[in-house]
């Protein structure tokens, strides 16, 4: 229809699609089906009977999209779907936390079987960064924004345009009513006083009385949505490294590692890793409790770390020039904080690697001397001057494993070192080969003369540190704060209105509250007190 | 302008802004993942210390104009050690035709690398990735891994796993600089 407005009998021009006249509240006849008012006596007061645009114009493509996102039903579906997917993504660890050298295509199936394979094939192993998950969350945002615009605008219009004098039909079809009251001048004055006492704003026009309070409660949901949108914006900011970093790095004792996420600007050195357990001997108050546990109870995981900053911009692979930034002891929940970054203690491989292995050589109970194999820096040859003995390292397997092709190493970390070495000495008839394995030295020849034993091993720990930086937290806080204000505003205050409508010498009274009808009835008893107003009737309960 | 037209414009603007934001977010998200190393992508530059010539470094960028094979290996990796002699054998023939080999060891212990290198009498540059950063950027998880880089600096081929003498020669042909 081309005409833009509908003229009510009170003279107000309403937008097309209006259900109840904005000014006098009279139902606009041909639109009653929209809110289902043609089916029931009590009027549907949703959005004040204003014209929800999306429900009215569905002509162009844009209008159809608009109508789709404006729908609460669609919004709820989007939220439910996001909830379900978010939950599914937590069944198995996400790819970045799988903590395994295996590629994802193998890892999930091997570790979790068929369900793991499905998890991987559906792409759930990388869910929260996946394009479809982002789209899902974004659609919720779109839904929130469009449905808010689509409801706020007409609601505001309707509440702004309402008149003190309402149509009789509107008043009589409210949920809580009191009809045909014989009220004296005194009664009316008492009513007004009582209303004001209950903090109503009382308006009068030609004997019609309209009392209203707490209209701002109606804006609660929209304030709440603004909060949500700020939270969504904050989560977009999280995608940028400038704003947010959450990463992980392993640092071995004595090692300097680039801190991930800092673009190789910051480096961390693990000076010492400290692992302490509760001691039943020295801490008597725990003695009794510790009797019941088999394994030692950890007391402290601590990394003594030094933080460095690169003073130059090295090419990939080049050793940067470092300057010390800070030093600190990182304990559980006690991070080292520097330049907006925090390093948290969050993983350990206690004494999992060999730092060095010392061995002694003997021939016929006579010592040829000893040497220390430093796993990271050992030379390929050791000379024992006292006996003119040379030890040549033939093979070095940091993490020994036996494969079809013979001995091999699983990684470069000396977790299970294997050393094959040759000893040549004037005291020996010929060179002899040995195999160091699991703190034992095995001769590789049958008739060896020399005897090699392990005299000492030095182990080291690896410390897992979480790198965090989050500049989005204040924005999340702001969003959450606004969200809470919206919730409070909408939940703890009620928008209440009372219309007193004179008709042929008596008065009809209609009452509306947006929630808490029980409280409304109690308030009405106080308002009615000392007047001739008949008890109010809930027309909905009567049915 | 009538109201209907205004409304259409308003809705279109709001929707465009929202869709625009979504597209922006998706693009940022897609880019935040490391660019996949694949054929046609420029090989990330690196600079590593040479172990075979002490005090010297080698930088990938400076090898432009030559076909480069970057080989990640370790002394504890048996298949890696097996392919080294093939590489050396072909290096003798192809060096003059403009092929360079950079062997990047991910070992922690340098002397073990030198030991092996010298025992085979290898002649191509030997380097060590001390900060483990090159390996990281080249997404090397399993050894050996070889990257064949065109004279213009783009990746021609990535081989994850061992190479044979025949296949290696074929790969060298692919990255051979044109004779000027």
């Amino acid at each position: 229809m081309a005409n833009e407005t509908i003229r009510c009998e009170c003279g107000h021009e309403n937008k097309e699609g209006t259900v109840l006249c904005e000014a006098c509240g009279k139902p606009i006849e041909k639109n009653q089906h929209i809110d289902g008012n043609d089916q029931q006596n009590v009027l549907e007061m949703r959005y004040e009977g204003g014209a929800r645009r999306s429900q009215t114009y569905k002509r162009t493509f844009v209008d159809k999209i608009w109508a789709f996102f404006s729908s609460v039903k669609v919004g709820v579906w989007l939220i439910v779907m996001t909830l379900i997917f978010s939950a599914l993504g937590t069944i198995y660890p996400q790819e970045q936390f799988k903590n395994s050298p295996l590629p994802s295509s193998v890892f999930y199936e091997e570790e979790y079987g068929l369900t793991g394979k499905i998890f991987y094939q559906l792409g759930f192993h990388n869910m929260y960064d996946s394009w479809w998950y982002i789209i899902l969350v974004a659609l919720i945002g779109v839904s929130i924004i469009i449905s808010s615009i689509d409801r706020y605008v007409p609601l505001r219009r309707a509440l702004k345009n309402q008149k003190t004098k309402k149509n009789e039909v509107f008043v009589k079809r409210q949920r809580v009513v009191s009809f045909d009251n014989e009220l004296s001048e005194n009664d009316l004055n008492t009513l007004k006083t009582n209303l004001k006492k209950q903090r109503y704003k009382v308006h009068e026009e030609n004997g019609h009385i309209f009392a209203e309070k707490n209209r701002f409660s109606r804006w609660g949901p929209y304030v709440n949505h603004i909060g949500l949108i700020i939270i969504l914006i904050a989560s977009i900011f999280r995608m940028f490294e400038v704003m947010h970093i959450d990463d992980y790095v392993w640092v071995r004792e004595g090692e300097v590692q680039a801190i991930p996420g800092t673009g190789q600007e910051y480096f961390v050195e693990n000076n010492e890793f400290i692992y302490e357990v509760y001691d039943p001997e020295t801490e008597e108050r725990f003695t009794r409790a510790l009797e019941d546990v088999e394994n030692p109870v950890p007391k402290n995981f601590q990394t003594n770390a030094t933080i460095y900053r690169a003073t130059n911009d090295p090419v990939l692979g080049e050793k940067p020039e470092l300057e010390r930034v800070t030093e600190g002891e990182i304990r559980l929940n006690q991070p080292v904080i520097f330049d907006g970054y925090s390093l948290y203690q969050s993983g350990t491989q206690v004494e999992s690697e060999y730092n060095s292995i010392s061995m002694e050589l003997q021939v016929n109970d006579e010592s040829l001397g000893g040497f220390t194999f430093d796993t990271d820096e050992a030379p390929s040859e050791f000379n024992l001057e006292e006996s003119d003995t040379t030890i040549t390292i033939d093979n070095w397997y940091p993490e020994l494993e036996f494969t079809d092709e013979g001995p091999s190493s699983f990684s470069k970390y000396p977790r299970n070192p294997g050393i094959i070495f040759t000893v040549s000495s004037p005291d020996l008839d010929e060179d002899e080969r040995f195999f160091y394995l699991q703190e034992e030295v095995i001769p590789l020849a049958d008739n060896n003369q020399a005897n090699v034993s392990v005299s000492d091993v030095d182990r080291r720990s690896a410390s897992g540190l979480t790198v965090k930086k989050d500049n989005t937290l204040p924005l999340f806080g702001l969003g959450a704060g606004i969200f809470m204000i919206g919730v409070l505003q909408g939940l703890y205050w009620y928008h209440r209105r009372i219309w007193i409508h004179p008709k042929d010498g008596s008065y009809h009274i209609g009452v509306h509250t947006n929630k808490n009808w029980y409280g409304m009835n109690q308030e009405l008893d106080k308002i009615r007190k000392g007047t001739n107003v008949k008890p109010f009737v809930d027309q909905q309960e009567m049915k | 302008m009538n109201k209907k037209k205004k409304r259409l414009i308003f809705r279109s603007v709001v929707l465009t802004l929202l869709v625009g934001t979504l597209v922006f977010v998706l693009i940022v998200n897609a880019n935040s993942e490391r660019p996949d190393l694949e054929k046609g992508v420029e090989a990330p530059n690196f600079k590593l210390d040479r172990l075979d010539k002490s005090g010297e470094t080698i930088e990938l960028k400076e090898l432009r104009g030559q076909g480069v094979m970057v080989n990640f290996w370790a002394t504890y990796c048996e298949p890696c050690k097996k392919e080294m002699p093939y590489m050396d054998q072909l290096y003798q023939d192809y060096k003059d035709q403009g092929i360079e080999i950079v062997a990047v060891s991910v070992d922690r212990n340098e002397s073990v690398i030198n030991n092996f290198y010298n025992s085979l009498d290898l002649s191509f540059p030997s380097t060590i990735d001390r900060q483990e950063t090159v390996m990281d950027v080249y997404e090397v998880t399993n050894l050996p891994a070889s990257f064949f880089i065109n004279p213009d600096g783009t990746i021609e081929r990535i081989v994850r796993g061992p190479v044979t003498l025949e296949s290696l020669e074929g790969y060298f042909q692919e990255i051979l600089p044109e004779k000027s």
Side-chain angles (χ1 to χ4, degrees):
Chain A
M1 298 263 254
N3 65 327
E4 287 282 323
T5 57
I6 304 164
R7 195 182 171 83
C8 176
E9 62 174 42
C10 72
H12 186 76
E13 300 276 353
N14 289 292
K15 298 237 165 211
E16 195 184 335
T18 304
V19 181
L20 303 173
C21 170
E22 290 172 335
C24 73
K26 184 172 189 284
I28 287 159
E29 217 161 296
K30 63 166 192 170
N31 285 338
Q32 290 315 295
H33 61 281
I34 295 179
D35 277 346
N37 283 333
D38 44 352
Q39 305 290 325
Q40 55 187 33
N41 181 36
V42 176
L43 289 176
E44 173 60 65
M45 290 289 284
R46 196 159 49 162
Y47 311 117
E48 298 298 298
R52 258 161 303 146
R53 309 277 177 80
S54 66
Q55 302 298 306
T56 316
Y57 297 96
K58 290 185 177 173
R59 295 195 181 96
T60 63
F61 176 69
V62 170
D63 290 334
K64 280 178 187 154
I65 303 269
W66 192 268
F68 177 78
F69 283 111
S70 174
S71 156
V72 172
K73 215 189 258 175
V74 169
V76 169
W77 269 110
L78 286 171
I79 292 169
V80 168
M81 271 161 63
T82 311
L83 274 178
I84 291 173
F85 281 122
S86 302
L88 287 175
T90 64
I91 293 179
Y92 300 129
Q94 290 286 295
E95 189 176 39
Q96 65 196 109
F97 300 116
K98 70 180 162 60
N99 212 352
S100 158
L102 293 172
S104 295
S105 51
V106 183
F107 171 79
Y108 287 97
E109 192 178 0
E110 203 148 281
E111 190 78 18
Y112 306 110
L114 180 65
T115 48
K117 189 180 179 182
I118 295 169
F119 186 83
Y120 169 74
Q121 283 176 342
L122 289 175
F124 287 5
H125 64 296
N126 229 337
M127 175 181 286
Y128 306 108
D129 296 328
S130 67
W131 60 268
W132 56 267
Y133 186 83
I134 290 173
I135 288 179
L136 208 50
V137 175
L139 290 185
I140 294 178
V142 172
S143 165
I144 287 172
I145 291 171
I146 291 183
S147 60
S148 297
I149 295 175
D150 207 46
R151 284 170 177 72
Y152 172 76
V153 173
L155 178 63
R156 203 183 111 89
R157 250 186 85 87
L159 289 175
K160 220 170 129 187
N161 286 333
Q162 60 180 342
K163 292 269 157 56
T164 300
K165 186 180 164 187
K166 285 283 181 182
N167 189 283
E168 189 186 347
V169 180
F170 176 83
V171 175
K172 287 179 88 170
R173 283 178 71 183
Q174 290 302 315
R175 183 171 152 182
V176 170
V177 288
S178 176
F179 295 152
D180 303 319
N181 292 291
E182 305 284 342
L183 301 177
S184 64
E185 193 68 25
N186 247 349
D187 282 332
L188 284 173
N189 283 334
T190 313
L191 266 180
K192 280 186 265 179
T193 318
N194 286 349
L195 282 167
K196 278 173 186 158
K197 230 185 256 169
Q198 296 296 325
R199 294 191 302 278
Y200 280 83
K201 281 182 199 133
V202 182
H203 309 270
E204 262 183 287
E205 188 189 339
N206 299 332
H208 292 255
I209 297 171
F210 167 48
E212 181 183 23
K213 76 173 186 183
N214 298 342
R215 190 193 283 186
F216 77 98
S217 161
R218 297 292 285 273
W219 314 133
Y222 309 105
V223 172
N224 179 325
H225 283 176
I226 290 170
L228 285 178
I229 288 159
I230 293 176
I231 289 174
L232 274 179
I233 291 171
S235 64
I236 292 175
F237 282 173
R238 280 198 142 204
M239 302 175 73
F240 299 95
E241 276 197 349
V242 189
M243 300 299 284
H244 177 254
I245 287 167
D246 186 355
D247 224 316
Y248 199 91
V249 61
W250 281 104
V251 201
R252 282 150 184 85
E253 282 178 292
E255 191 182 49
V256 180
Q257 277 282 354
I259 299 175
T262 66
Q264 307 213 15
E265 188 185 349
Y266 290 96
F267 292 76
V268 58
E269 179 174 17
N270 180 349
N271 301 315
E272 191 187 2
F273 184 80
I274 297 168
Y275 170 67
E276 289 170 314
V277 295
Y278 285 102
D279 182 5
E281 307 294 320
T282 58
E283 287 156 306
E284 274 174 26
R285 59 197 162 131
F286 298 129
T287 311
R288 178 66 197 87
L290 288 168
E291 275 170 20
D292 298 337
V293 284
E294 225 170 277
N295 297 318
V297 179
K299 183 181 176 183
N300 185 25
F301 297 98
Q302 176 181 329
T303 308
N304 292 345
T306 309
I307 309 296
Y308 298 97
R309 191 179 167 191
T311 53
N312 59 346
D313 189 14
V315 182
L316 182 66
E318 203 181 20
K319 198 174 169 63
E321 288 160 27
L322 299 178
E323 73 173 11
R324 204 179 137 273
V325 177
T326 185
E327 230 169 42
E329 296 173 353
I330 305 172
R331 283 184 216 94
L332 227 54
N333 293 329
Q334 291 172 27
V336 158
I337 299 168
F338 58 95
D339 298 356
Y341 299 94
S342 315
L343 286 181
Y344 287 87
Q345 185 68 52
S346 45
T348 47
Q349 292 167 15
V350 176
E351 309 225 310
S352 59
E353 294 176 11
Y354 288 82
N355 204 21
S356 67
I357 300 153
S358 304
M359 289 180 256
E360 295 282 345
L361 276 70
Q362 279 181 324
V363 176
N364 304 327
D365 292 335
E366 241 175 81
S367 176
L368 297 182
F371 68 99
T372 297
F373 185 90
D374 186 323
T375 53
D376 283 348
E377 279 156 17
S380 54
E381 236 179 47
F382 293 88
N383 286 308
L384 310 182
E385 280 171 19
E386 64 259 52
S387 57
D388 198 20
T389 304
T390 306
I391 292 120
T392 315
I393 308 296
D394 299 325
N395 272 303
W396 156 240
Y397 307 99
E399 191 171 3
L400 183 74
E401 60 174 10
F402 288 94
T403 63
D404 297 341
E405 305 191 32
S408 169
S409 184
F410 185 70
S411 78
K412 61 181 153 188
Y413 301 112
R415 296 185 181 118
N416 179 29
I419 311 167
I420 298 173
F421 56 95
T422 307
V423 180
S424 13
S425 167
D427 294 334
L428 296 173
D429 298 342
E430 54 184 12
D431 293 355
E432 290 182 3
R433 296 186 87 201
F434 294 88
F435 194 173
Y436 164 91
L437 178 64
Q438 292 182 344
E439 300 187 20
E440 299 279 339
V441 181
I442 307 152
L444 291 177
D446 296 332
N447 52 349
N448 61 299
Q449 296 171 284
N451 182 23
V452 185
S453 61
V454 179
S455 56
D456 192 23
V457 293
D458 179 26
R459 290 164 168 269
R460 69 175 172 218
S461 305
S463 173
L465 301 174
T466 300
V467 188
K468 280 199 196 277
K469 172 167 119 172
D470 200 343
N471 293 336
T472 61
L473 281 180
L475 203 53
F476 274 104
L478 179 72
I482 291 176
F483 178 91
M484 270 324 283
I485 290 172
V487 169
L488 295 177
Q489 188 176 343
L491 277 184
Y492 290 100
W493 282 272
Y494 317 107
H495 180 218
R496 288 174 172 170
R497 283 170 295 172
I498 297 170
W499 296 274
I500 302 175
H501 189 92
K503 180 78 183 175
D504 306 331
S506 68
Y507 291 85
H508 300 316
I509 304 178
V511 178
H512 181 259
T513 178
N514 67 331
K515 48 171 74 91
N516 192 0
W517 289 90
Y518 176 78
M520 185 75 239
N521 282 320
Q522 285 192 317
E523 197 167 278
L524 284 173
D525 288 340
K526 287 181 198 155
I527 291 165
R528 201 165 60 88
K529 212 171 172 186
T531 68
N532 203 18
V533 174
K534 293 185 213 163
F536 284 86
V537 177
D538 189 331
Q539 302 200 79
Q540 197 150 294
E541 277 182 1
M542 274 164 54
K543 274 206 286 186
Chain B
M1 202 166 16
N2 71 27
K3 283 185 170 179
K4 234 188 290 179
K5 206 164 181 188
K6 258 192 207 163
R7 180 172 304 123
L8 181 68
I9 290 172
F10 174 74
R11 288 181 177 184
S12 307
V13 167
V14 171
L15 282 172
T16 314
L17 280 176
L18 293 174
V19 171
T21 312
L22 174 58
V23 169
F24 169 73
V25 167
L26 286 174
I27 291 173
V28 169
N29 183 60
N31 288 342
S32 70
E33 284 160 32
R34 273 190 203 144
D36 285 328
L37 292 179
E38 57 187 16
K39 188 180 160 129
V41 173
E42 191 181 322
N45 186 36
F46 60 80
K47 188 176 183 179
L48 292 170
D49 288 341
R50 282 182 77 153
L51 291 180
D52 55 327
K53 284 184 183 166
S54 108
E56 280 188 34
T57 59
I58 195 160
E59 186 168 357
L60 184 64
K61 210 167 66 183
E62 283 166 7
L63 300 176
R64 283 282 159 84
Q66 286 174 282
V68 183
M69 173 191 188
V70 179
N71 176 261
F72 291 90
W73 72 289
T75 52
Y76 53 76
C77 155
E78 291 306 319
C80 303
K81 294 202 278 195
K82 242 175 238 170
E83 66 185 12
M84 285 276 174
Y86 305 149
M87 285 156 59
D88 200 55
Q89 188 182 332
L90 289 175
Y91 186 61
Q92 308 301 337
D93 303 341
Y94 281 89
K95 191 183 171 190
D96 296 336
Q97 298 180 46
I99 295 282
E100 187 59 273
I101 295 178
V102 181
V104 181
S105 171
V106 302
D107 276 283
R108 292 170 75 88
N109 186 319
E110 285 174 31
S111 64
V112 197
I113 307 170
N114 293 334
N115 207 14
F116 175 79
Y117 185 84
N118 295 332
S119 71
L120 285 188
D121 202 18
L122 301 174
S123 52
F124 47 79
S126 156
T127 65
I128 182 168
D129 184 18
R130 285 198 195 93
Q131 337 290 327
E132 300 176 17
T133 45
V134 181
M135 184 186 177
D136 197 42
V137 169
Y138 275 78
E139 297 165 0
V140 175
T141 45
N142 295 312
L143 296 172
S146 303
F147 293 78
F148 296 88
I149 299 162
N150 287 313
D152 66 356
T154 59
I155 294 173
E156 174 64 33
R157 181 181 287 276
I158 301 171
V159 180
R160 299 193 187 274
V163 294
T164 61
L165 190 62
E166 296 76 46
S167 63
L168 192 59
E169 182 146 25
Y171 303 150
F172 278 169
Q173 290 292 342
E174 289 174 353
I175 56 170
L176 208 59
E178 282 168 44
K179 279 184 193 122
S180 50

